[in-house]
Amino acid sequence: MRIDTVLPELDTIADETLRTNVSAAWTLAAEENDIDVAELASVPWLPPEQKELGIAPEEATLVGHVRDVTACAVGLAESISERRSEPELDIDTVVAGALVHDVSKLYEYDGVEKTEIGTLLGHPYFGVAVTARADLPAELSHIVLSHTHRTTVEPATLEAEIVRRADEVAAAAIRAPAVSDLRET
């Protein structure tokens, strides 16, 4: 099985090199964590939080979350592009950034337990190493590093800001059924 069967949004990246390298990042992460591509779709999104909120692993998967973030990011980018001629957005960068923003979560958890990488570095920091090893441009590493409040790095590009906001909304959508007020999470 190929990565694009699990993440069909890869096919929307027009730049062939970028598409190939995003796929390579996921392939590398899966292989290094002994996860078969067929099993990738069942990896939980955020095991400790899911346990705390009573969200079953199959109800919130990493791949499902990444696909939600990608759909939200594309929607935001297309909406802004339709309404404003400046600044010009790079949709390939938005899609690629959304697809790789959490690729290193495969290193962060072993089942439900945090790994040494998860404890000492966390997925946004280790994600920079994964994206670099997959020959992705620095802009994609920046998106990975700035997509979460777990780092002090703020988005420097509109593409990075879009992925960050899309990630926040997609994560809130996972949490919403488990709480009566999202401020509780």
Side-chain angles (χ1 to χ4, degrees), residues 70-80:
T70 304
C72 287
V74 167
L76 284 168
E78 287 176 347
S79 177
I80 292 295

Side-chain angles (χ1 to χ4, degrees), residues 13 18 90-98 137 139-140 143 157 159-160 163:
I13 300 173
L18 186 59
D90 185 335
I91 297 295
D92 271 2
T93 298
V94 171
V95 173
E139 186 173 11
L140 279 249
I143 289 172
T157 65
E159 291 85 356
V163 172

Side-chain angles (χ1 to χ4, degrees), residues 14-169:
D15 182 290
E16 185 178 346
T17 301
L18 186 59
R19 183 175 57 250
T20 299
N21 292 353
V22 169
S23 179
W26 277 98
T27 301
L28 175 70
E31 287 174 355
E32 289 186 344
N33 290 284
D34 296 321
I35 299 170
D36 186 79
V37 173
E39 299 169 359
L40 198 56
S42 64
V43 171
W45 164 64
L46 191 55
E49 186 168 338
Q50 287 179 243
K51 183 178 180 182
E52 182 181 317
L53 294 173
I55 301 170
E58 64 276 4
E59 290 177 19
T61 64
L62 178 59
V63 166
H65 170 69
V66 167
R67 294 190 69 205
D68 286 348
V69 170
T70 304
C72 287
V74 167
L76 284 168
E78 287 176 347
S79 177
I80 292 295
S81 292
E82 288 170 9
R83 298 177 53 81
R84 297 184 173 274
S85 59
E86 294 289 331
E88 190 172 323
L89 280 165
D90 185 335
I91 297 295
D92 271 2
T93 298
V94 171
V95 173
L99 286 173
V100 297
H101 84 280
D102 273 350
V103 67
S104 59
K105 276 193 178 179
L106 296 178
Y107 297 87
E108 192 171 25
Y109 295 98
D110 183 10
V112 296
E113 299 299 319
K114 267 199 173 182
T115 64
E116 185 175 33
I117 288 170
T119 301
L120 298 177
L121 296 174
H123 77 277
Y125 293 104
F126 199 72
V128 171
V130 176
T131 56
R133 290 173 54 213
D135 291 326
L136 288 165
E139 186 173 11
L140 279 249
S141 294
H142 172 71
I143 289 172
V144 169
L145 195 55
S146 67
H147 85 273
T148 176
H149 294 289
R150 292 178 65 186
T151 75
T152 59
V153 177
E154 294 295 323
T157 65
L158 188 52
E159 291 85 356
E161 185 70 36
I162 287 170
V163 172
R164 183 179 194 155
R165 299 303 174 165
D167 181 51
E168 291 170 350
V169 170

